[in-house]
Amino acid sequence: MDIPLLLALAVAVVFFARAQLRATVQPRRGTNWLTQAARYHSMNPTQFEHAIAALCERDGCHGVRVVGGAGDLGADVIAITPDGRRIVIQCKRYAPRTKVGSPDLQRFGGTCYSVHRAQIPVVVTTSTYTQPAVSYGVRQGIRLVDSSALTKWATRTGPPPWT
């Protein structure tokens, strides 16, 4: 095989692989999909981060970026709210009976202000929080969105976390 043909084949493989990754990582953007809260439990963590980013975009945030992954230092979604404040969101896609604990919030609290310059730090979960986590969140000014509040946000029967 000659070099140009191999190069073209390699480019095609990389392009196809990226398209496949985007198709599995980015959720469908339709409103119906966003409001079906039961689907959040069937997502992988990356899909859940993209779903939360889609809710932010739907509700008027701009500059929405999914930054989660290894080395994210606690931030999964960063955006600017409709009124111009910087929101930093940590996403916790947990099973319904697995509560988000105080250590999870402490790790996020250690970086949300100093590293990510959050004006509104938020932790969103598909589960609930332990009482020590709630106490820590209140003391540190971290907004906590549990499965109930997430469902209300997704279905527009409750506010987004920055209001």
Side-chain angles (χ1 to χ4, degrees):
M1 285 189 142
D2 68 29
I3 300 299
L5 182 58
L6 283 174
L7 185 58
L9 182 60
V11 169
V13 167
V14 168
F15 179 78
F16 179 75
R18 281 187 168 175
Q20 289 298 101
L21 180 63
R22 279 192 300 274
T24 59
V25 169
Q26 292 183 341
R28 288 178 277 154
R29 300 277 183 181
T31 302
N32 187 39
W33 177 82
L34 288 174
T35 61
Q36 296 177 10
R39 289 194 178 193
Y40 294 124
H41 289 287
S42 66
M43 295 176 184
N44 67 41
T46 302
Q47 290 169 329
F48 182 57
E49 292 166 5
H50 280 273
I52 297 305
L55 286 173
C56 290
E57 287 175 343
R58 180 199 73 183
D59 292 342
C61 288
H62 60 278
V64 179
R65 294 181 296 134
V66 177
V67 296
D72 65 15
L73 296 174
D76 293 318
V77 177
I78 298 176
I80 304 299
T81 63
D83 64 357
R85 294 175 292 162
R86 183 177 176 87
I87 185 169
V88 177
I89 303 173
Q90 169 75 70
C91 300
K92 295 290 186 189
R93 189 201 52 79
Y94 284 0
R97 290 195 169 110
T98 303
K99 295 182 176 189
V100 177
S102 183
D104 292 318
L105 265 66
Q106 290 173 29
R107 279 189 294 276
F108 180 61
T111 62
C112 65
Y113 294 111
S114 61
V115 173
H116 300 294
R117 300 179 325 277
Q119 292 173 296
I120 307 171
V122 178
V123 178
V124 176
T125 186
T126 53
S127 183
T128 58
Y129 298 90
T130 63
Q131 188 54 53
V134 171
S135 296
Y136 180 84
V138 168
R139 281 193 317 273
Q140 298 303 313
I142 299 171
R143 298 182 188 195
L144 305 180
V145 178
D146 63 11
S147 61
S148 176
L150 174 58
T151 299
K152 290 175 182 172
W153 177 22
T155 59
R156 295 181 189 247
T157 58
W162 55 85
T163 58

